[in-house]
């Protein structure tokens, strides 16, 4: 058992406690009352900063979620917004990829995105610059990627089990109705469906029309070679169906991605083609390919299919920057 405290011990503890409390009270009397800090430096550190209405990062993110027209209107509101909209190319890159409905990609482009956006959405099409007198109507299909430099051009869906290899373009077309086109410019391609007048004659009474799957690299309309007219379309081959045919089909694919799930859905024509009694053209686009199909009325002579390509230069090995697959009833 521990030693029991005596009354003397309790008295000592009580004296010590009273002494400590007395000294603490004396110290409190000598202190001033509780007050806030009056240091100028402290007030500057604690003051909440004012909201900056012209915060570039915030407005850049806001602008990305506006359509092209609203972005231009925002840039026209004052000089600060004009500078932001014109100099911040990421806004137009985001808007361009979004409105073309293509996923982001890392490849560098040769022009500012604001110019690419305008050329893609200002209503321009290839027949606006050439053969305007032949043009009737057009519609935008969408955009797709060429990730590799090899493209498959065909008028037959579904594809044959084996792709044509080791032959000339003309021979591939004659034997399979398809061909491999090399040295295609990689990047974003825009696909349109064009309806033009008969290219064979110039008679006003001729009711012949031609359907054209028209695909081009997104930078084409901004290049000097195209604007000056030094680049033009050249026929790379043709193919004739000399019997009755129920439909006209044209398709362009990136060879590297033929086995992709999205591409196989485009290759399966039965899933997206119109009903036999529907004469309106239908189209399907994927990340790495595009196809168009139109049902045809009764015909006996068959169908003429022509393949054209535009190269970025006069040399045969120059990059392909535009492709056309045209179809006309014979």
């Amino acid at each position: 058992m521990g030693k029991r405290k005596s009354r003397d011990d309790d008295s000592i503890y009580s004296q010590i406690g009273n002494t400590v409390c007395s000294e603490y009270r004396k110290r409190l009397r000598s202190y001033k009352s509780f007050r806030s800090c009056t240091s100028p430096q402290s007030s500057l550190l604690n003051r909440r900063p004012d909201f900056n209405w012209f915060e570039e990062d915030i407005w850049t993110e806001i602008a990305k979620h506006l359509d092209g027209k609203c972005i231009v209107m925002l840039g026209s509101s004052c000089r600060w917004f004009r500078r932001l909209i014109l100099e911040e190319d990421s806004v137009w890159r985001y808007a361009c990829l979004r409105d073309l409905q293509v996923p982001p990609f890392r490849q560098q482009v040769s022009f500012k995105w604001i110019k690419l956006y305008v050329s893609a959405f200002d209503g321009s099409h290839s027949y606006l610059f050439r053969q305007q007198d032949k043009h009737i109507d057009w519609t935008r299909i969408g955009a797709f990627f060429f990730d590799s430099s090899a493209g498959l051009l065909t008028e037959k869906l579904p594809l044959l089990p084996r792709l044509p290899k080791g032959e000339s373009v003309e021979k591939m077309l004659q034997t399979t109705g398809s061909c491999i086109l090399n040295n295609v410019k990689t990047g974003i391609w825009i696909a349109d469906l064009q309806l033009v007048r008969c290219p064979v004659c110039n008679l006003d009474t001729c009711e012949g029309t031609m359907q054209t799957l028209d695909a081009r690299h997104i930078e084409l309309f901004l290049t000097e070679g195209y604007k000056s007219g030094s680049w033009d379309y050249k026929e790379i081959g043709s193919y004739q169906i000399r019997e009755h045919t129920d439909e006209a089909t044209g398709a362009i694919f990136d060879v590297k991605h033929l086995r992709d799930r999205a591409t196989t859905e485009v290759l399966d024509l039965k899933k997206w083609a119109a009903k036999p009694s529907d004469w309106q053209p239908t189209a399907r686009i994927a990340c790495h390919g595009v196809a168009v199909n139109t049902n045809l009325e009764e015909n006996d002579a068959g169908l003429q299919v022509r393949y054209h390509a535009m190269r970025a230069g006069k040399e045969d090995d120059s990059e392909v920057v535009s492709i056309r697959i045209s179809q006309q009833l014979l």
Side-chain angles (χ1 to χ4, degrees):
M1 294 178 65
K3 187 177 181 179
R4 189 173 182 179
K5 291 182 180 180
S6 64
R7 292 183 178 180
D8 294 338
D9 292 333
D10 293 334
S11 178
I12 293 172
Y13 293 145
S14 177
Q15 291 176 5
I16 294 174
N18 293 333
T19 303
V20 171
C21 290
S22 176
E23 289 295 323
Y24 183 71
R25 292 191 190 97
K26 291 179 181 178
R27 291 180 183 178
L28 282 178
R29 293 192 194 102
S30 64
Y31 291 152
K32 295 182 178 179
S33 60
F34 181 78
R35 296 181 181 180
S36 62
C37 179
T38 58
S39 170
Q41 182 178 2
S42 176
S43 61
L44 290 175
L45 290 175
N46 294 330
R47 187 174 63 185
R48 180 178 294 180
D50 296 333
F51 179 74
N52 185 6
W53 288 98
F54 297 101
E55 178 61 47
E56 290 194 11
D57 292 340
I58 294 177
W59 282 107
T60 297
E61 290 303 314
I62 293 174
K64 287 180 180 179
H65 297 279
L66 303 177
D67 58 29
K69 183 179 179 180
C70 291
I71 295 175
V72 173
M73 293 174 64
L74 180 64
S76 303
S77 60
C78 68
R79 292 181 179 179
W80 189 87
F81 279 119
R82 177 179 175 83
R83 180 190 61 80
L84 174 68
I85 297 303
L86 291 179
E87 293 182 1
E88 189 54 60
D89 211 33
S90 65
V91 173
W92 291 102
R93 179 182 184 274
Y94 185 93
C96 193
L97 297 178
R98 177 200 63 203
D99 293 351
L100 287 174
Q101 298 182 356
V102 292
F105 76 118
R106 298 180 180 179
Q107 185 176 352
Q108 296 294 324
V109 293
S110 303
F111 299 90
K112 297 194 67 166
W113 281 100
I114 184 173
K115 293 184 177 180
L116 293 173
Y117 188 95
V118 173
S119 68
F121 296 103
D122 65 352
S124 299
H125 55 84
S126 60
Y127 281 92
L128 190 64
F129 300 94
R130 293 173 175 58
Q131 299 177 311
Q132 294 186 31
D133 57 326
K134 293 288 186 181
H135 190 255
I136 299 175
D137 199 5
W138 73 289
T139 185
R140 171 65 49 82
I141 300 175
F144 64 101
F145 281 114
F146 260 112
D147 191 31
S148 72
S149 59
L152 172 65
L153 284 57
T154 183
E155 60 85 27
K156 290 185 177 181
L157 291 179
L159 296 175
L160 297 175
R162 297 180 61 183
L163 295 179
K165 293 182 179 180
E167 301 175 344
S168 65
V169 172
E170 188 67 33
K171 190 172 182 180
M172 284 188 284
L173 291 175
Q174 294 299 328
T175 55
T176 65
S178 307
C179 69
I180 302 295
L181 187 62
N182 294 310
N183 207 18
V184 177
K185 185 177 178 65
T186 58
I188 300 175
W189 281 59
I190 297 176
D192 298 329
L193 177 60
Q194 309 281 358
L195 182 64
V196 298
R197 293 184 177 87
C198 175
V200 178
C201 66
N202 293 317
L203 298 176
D204 295 335
T205 56
C206 179
E207 297 181 354
T209 57
M210 182 173 68
Q211 170 184 287
T212 300
L213 174 58
D214 186 7
R216 71 177 190 275
H217 193 272
I218 190 173
E219 299 178 5
L220 178 62
F221 289 171
L222 300 175
T223 56
E224 194 60 36
Y226 182 82
K227 292 190 292 185
S228 65
S230 61
W231 301 353
D232 207 349
Y233 291 94
K234 293 184 179 179
E235 185 174 313
I236 59 175
S238 61
Y239 177 78
Q240 287 188 354
I241 304 174
R242 298 184 179 276
E243 58 184 4
H244 168 76
T245 179
D246 295 324
E247 57 194 17
T249 304
I252 303 171
F253 299 102
D254 184 342
V255 173
K256 180 180 176 181
H257 295 275
L258 282 176
R259 297 184 181 275
D260 289 3
R261 181 176 180 180
T263 305
T264 56
E265 292 181 356
V266 179
L267 292 171
D268 191 353
L269 183 61
K270 293 181 179 180
K271 287 186 177 181
W272 56 271
K275 296 180 180 180
S277 58
D278 187 353
W279 311 116
Q280 292 296 319
T282 56
R284 178 63 65 92
I285 196 164
C287 189
H288 298 284
V290 60
V292 62
N293 176 265
T294 303
N295 292 322
L296 302 177
E297 298 180 0
E298 287 292 331
N299 59 88
D300 297 324
L303 191 69
Q304 174 80 32
V305 185
R306 297 181 182 274
Y307 298 82
H308 292 81
M310 176 184 288
R311 296 183 180 273
K314 297 182 178 179
E315 295 78 11
D316 292 338
D317 58 349
S318 300
E319 283 187 317
V320 176
V321 292
S322 186
I323 299 170
R324 282 179 177 174
I325 302 178
S326 302
Q327 295 159 320
Q328 182 185 21
L329 288 171
L330 297 173

